[in-house]
Amino acid sequence: MKTKTFILIMILAGFAVTSCQKTQPIGESGIEAADDAVFAETLFDDVFASVEIASGIAESELKSSVVDSCPVVTVTFPGEGLWPRNVVINYGTECVGLNEVVRSGKIMITMTAPRKQKGAVRTVTFDNYFVNGVKMEGTKTVENLGLNTNQNVVFGINLSDGKMTFPDGKTIEREVEREREYISGFLTRTPWDDECLITGVATGVNLDGKSFTHTITNALHWTAACRFIVSGTKRFEVEGIEPFDLDYGDGECDAYATLIRGDETKEITLRFRHPRLGNQ
């Protein structure tokens, strides 16, 4: 179990907060809001990983399609030159991947230039794309912003009109503005040693129809070798719920994270299947 101790410093303003006021315990609504968020995070990060792998294939292969049991990756050249390139990741009607994750449909990518080139943009859309029965929608852009002061490559990530539709018809809506700083693996030939630090904000509406803002307060550490975020913290502000934090841990690759509000902590399990809905 991953736990951390936090010291909460409150700035008291006017009479709105008194020194004897206590925070409310993290109830079921807070846990459910966190489940919504980490599930959406996991599935959209899964899309990012698929796009990274397909981008590498698109840059290295000159033949029109590459098949590795599933999916089929098809590369086409809409113009007379080598760029731009269109890439389709076709999972067909059912493609069972690692950890029994089932995908179907297509992820479509338009690449303006090689991903390692500053200013290169990849635009990602979906065609009837499902992960474990959840339909994914939206437009995601990934732009190479060049080197930062640490001499690491940074990508700007924008998700607009993001939407996840569950088998029972419920939805999660999501808009994202973030940056991913590559701290390892960017220049290697294999995608499995990639590691990024993620910062930024996500907004939207959760399964219960409540608006939310999720702000990364300590950079999230993503690794291609792990199914889930391995460290970092995020601030949750959800309509009707007192704000709380989510701590992904200290770098260990596991399926646990900790909710924190004041002195109270609750451990939750990260997953590719939502615990509240009938897509188990």
Side-chain angles (χ1 to χ4, degrees):
M1 179 184 299
K2 299 194 243 179
T3 59
K4 286 189 178 180
T5 302
F6 284 73
I7 299 175
L8 178 64
I9 301 175
M10 298 185 66
I11 300 175
L12 306 183
F15 55 84
V17 181
T18 65
S19 61
C20 62
Q21 185 177 17
K22 296 181 179 180
T23 58
Q24 298 177 356
I26 301 173
E28 192 65 26
S29 59
I31 296 172
E32 290 177 350
D35 281 337
D36 291 355
V38 297
F39 180 72
E41 191 88 51
T42 299
L43 261 60
F44 276 108
D45 278 344
D46 180 68
V47 170
F48 179 85
S50 296
V51 169
E52 288 290 272
I53 294 171
S55 297
I57 292 173
E59 292 180 21
S60 62
E61 299 288 344
L62 295 180
K63 53 187 177 182
S64 61
S65 63
V66 181
V67 183
D68 184 11
S69 74
C70 75
V72 176
V73 178
T74 301
V75 184
T76 58
F77 306 83
E80 295 182 358
L82 293 178
W83 298 98
R85 298 183 184 184
N86 294 331
V87 184
V88 176
I89 312 172
N90 188 350
Y91 290 94
T93 57
E94 182 179 276
C95 176
V96 181
L98 293 175
N99 304 302
E100 301 303 311
V101 176
V102 180
R103 303 173 180 86
S104 62
K106 301 175 183 179
I107 300 174
M108 298 172 292
I109 314 162
T110 298
M111 304 175 63
T112 64
R115 61 189 281 272
K116 295 180 180 180
Q117 180 176 310
K118 182 178 179 179
V121 176
R122 287 170 288 169
T123 302
V124 182
T125 55
F126 305 99
D127 180 5
N128 211 35
Y129 178 66
F130 288 79
V131 181
N132 290 338
V134 179
K135 186 176 183 179
M136 310 285 289
E137 298 177 82
T139 299
K140 191 169 192 175
T141 59
V142 183
E143 181 180 0
N144 186 332
L145 302 179
L147 300 176
N148 62 8
T149 55
N150 296 324
Q151 297 303 297
N152 292 328
V153 173
V154 176
F155 285 90
I157 311 291
N158 179 278
L159 173 67
S160 60
D161 300 320
K163 186 177 181 180
M164 306 169 66
T165 303
F166 294 82
D168 66 355
K170 291 184 177 180
T171 62
I172 295 175
E173 297 176 12
R174 188 172 173 86
E175 306 276 332
V176 174
E177 290 186 9
R178 289 185 174 172
E179 290 188 353
R180 282 179 176 251
E181 175 188 357
Y182 269 82
I183 58 174
S184 179
F186 183 70
L187 296 177
T188 65
R189 296 179 64 88
T190 173
W192 302 113
D193 60 353
D194 288 358
E195 297 187 36
C196 297
L197 296 179
I198 306 170
T199 57
V201 177
T203 60
V205 179
N206 69 13
L207 275 173
D208 297 317
K210 305 295 185 181
S211 61
F212 67 78
T213 299
H214 303 151
T215 305
I216 297 172
T217 51
N218 290 298
L220 305 183
H221 187 176
W222 173 89
T223 71
C226 187
R227 298 178 70 194
F228 306 107
I229 298 293
V230 299
S231 67
T233 57
K234 186 190 300 180
R235 183 70 167 172
F236 281 65
E237 296 171 284
V238 183
E239 179 185 352
I241 301 174
E242 188 176 349
F244 59 92
D245 298 298
L246 177 68
D247 179 11
Y248 282 93
D250 56 8
E252 183 180 355
C253 179
D254 59 30
Y256 303 106
T258 304
L259 303 181
I260 302 170
R261 180 189 286 145
D263 295 329
E264 186 186 13
T265 63
K266 284 186 180 294
E267 186 178 88
I268 65 172
T269 301
L270 311 175
R271 62 193 83 201
F272 268 87
R273 300 180 187 271
H274 200 288
R276 280 203 281 164
L277 299 170
N279 65 316
Q280 277 82 348

